[in-house]
Amino acid sequence: MRLIISFAALFASVLLLQISSGGVGPLDALTGLNAGFSPGDVGFLGSMHFVGFFLGCWWAPRLMGNVGHSRAYAVFTSMGVIGLAGHILIVDPIAWGLLRIGTGICVAGCYTVVESWLQAKVTNESRGRAMGLYRVVDMGGSLTAQLMIGALASLETYIAYNLLTILCCASLLPLALTRVPQPEIPSAPRLRPHLAWEMSPLAVAGVLVAALSGAAFRMVGPIYGQEVGLAASQIGLFLAAFVAGGAIAQYPAGWLADKFDRRWVLIWLSVASVVSCAVTVAASGTGTVGVMAAAAFFGFTTFPVFSVAASHAHDFATSDERIELSAALMFFYATGAIAAPWFTSRLIDTFGPSALFYFISLGHIALIVFGLSRMRVRETREDKTAYVYAPRTSFTIGRLLGRERDK
């Protein structure tokens, strides 16, 4: 209980931010489609979010160094508020894309501030419990955001976006009012993408495929849901089923990754992902329950790919390299996430909704082939690091996860 109270302000800010930011993507998709946006336009919005995310990850440590944690958080929150509030002033895909850059910067920047603050305050004794709570709050906020979509979609557009704007503003209050002293400013991790490739080309491929699966589904999934007959009020449940399936998968995936060769775990996850893509396409005509169950199965098979790939890369890293390696893997994830929503939305526009899962399947088939080929190049490490569920939040997440991997 003392731990919860100690970090209550940080966790409250994360929860409110996650609900606000997690709701804007599906709401943009549903509102944009009703306003006449094409699927390609909706995918463009998702890609612009990740452009902002990448910029925020790079900028946040530097801004904290100039103005401190609290002021940096206020700057990023204000960018998110501007991005959300601007939606009701003009309905245009290009304008909304620019606004989504602002919300993407907000998400990455705010998470960087919170994670830097957590890193400075946790001790070796409290780190495991603090990170467990952090993951629960983050995942709980994401699930809540998806479940809210049905209610938001039934409201007037300006009311829905105003509610998300209020939540984004409210995320500033707990952190701004906390009496806990600000920590010292951490140095920004060097961004060396080649480090990830040097450690494990297979891990880089796995991270890119994870970005393809996750970013495409979360940003373009509402288009697929509408195309297969889901009502606007059901889209949130559809996305929540994906997140819930991914959350449930973390324990068995972690157990397998710690017990067996992680390359085989990654390969079999991709095999299961191809199966789940086929099941999802086949379930499109089975009614609401079938579609929801297929989304949960898809999340169960695809969600752990990033964490397994990251754990495999860290098996070859030293303690001093972990922070920069985590940043490099996040760089590749952000790169894949920028491209995936726009490209898959264009495929849906041209070939229909099933094209989303056909393309994701191709990505996982390529990962299977590449994984098998890499197994012939070198042996894996026998002395593994501990499997860690790695949130895709900022380039600085490696600071929090480094000690967990060294256990």
Side-chain angles (χ1 to χ4, degrees), residues 192 195-196 198-200 262 310-326 329 378 381 383-385 402 405-406:
R192 297 195 294 158
L195 178 64
E198 291 171 0
M199 293 297 165
S200 174
R262 285 172 176 167
S311 294
H312 177 60
H314 280 277
D315 288 343
F316 299 93
T318 64
S319 297
D320 294 336
E321 293 171 323
R322 299 210 187 284
I323 294 175
E324 291 182 2
L325 176 56
S326 294
L329 292 171
R378 70 174 179 182
R381 292 284 296 270
D383 51 334
K384 299 178 184 178
T385 60
R405 296 191 189 279
D406 286 331

Side-chain angles (χ1 to χ4, degrees), residues 243-315:
V243 175
I248 294 170
Q250 292 305 320
Y251 180 80
W255 182 83
L256 291 170
D258 283 341
K259 188 172 181 62
F260 301 103
D261 187 332
R262 285 172 176 167
R263 297 171 300 178
W264 278 117
V265 175
L266 200 57
I267 289 169
W268 282 108
L269 277 174
S270 279
V271 171
S273 296
V274 173
V275 173
S276 71
C277 287
V279 169
T280 304
V281 172
S284 61
T286 61
T288 302
V289 175
V291 172
M292 299 294 180
F297 181 38
F298 178 75
F300 187 89
T301 57
T302 59
F303 216 92
V305 169
F306 179 92
S307 294
V308 174
S311 294
H312 177 60
H314 280 277
D315 288 343

Side-chain angles (χ1 to χ4, degrees), residues 21 47 89 127 137 139 146 184 190 199 208 272 346 381 384 389 393 406:
S21 62
S47 292
L89 301 179
R127 181 179 300 274
V137 169
M139 192 68 73
Q146 310 312 316
E184 294 182 5
R190 287 188 298 169
M199 293 297 165
L208 288 171
R346 300 294 295 178
R381 292 284 296 270
K384 299 178 184 178
Y389 163 55
T393 49
D406 286 331

Side-chain angles (χ1 to χ4, degrees), residues 8 30 33-34 97 105 113 131 188-189 194 207 211-212 222 242 301 333 343 398:
L30 296 175
L33 291 173
N34 290 337
I105 291 174
V113 172
M131 282 305 299
H194 64 89
V207 166
L212 165 65
F242 165 76
T301 57
Y333 181 85
F343 189 74

Side-chain angles (χ1 to χ4, degrees), residues 25 36-37 41 47 58 78 96 109 139 153 156 183 226 228 235 249 258 268 283 297 323 329 336 351 376 403:
F37 289 12
D41 292 334
S47 292
W58 177 85
S78 67
W96 279 19
M139 192 68 73
E156 294 289 339
Q226 281 204 337
V228 300
I235 297 295
D258 283 341
W268 282 108
F297 181 38
I323 294 175
L329 292 171
F351 300 106
R376 303 181 64 178
R403 290 184 182 273

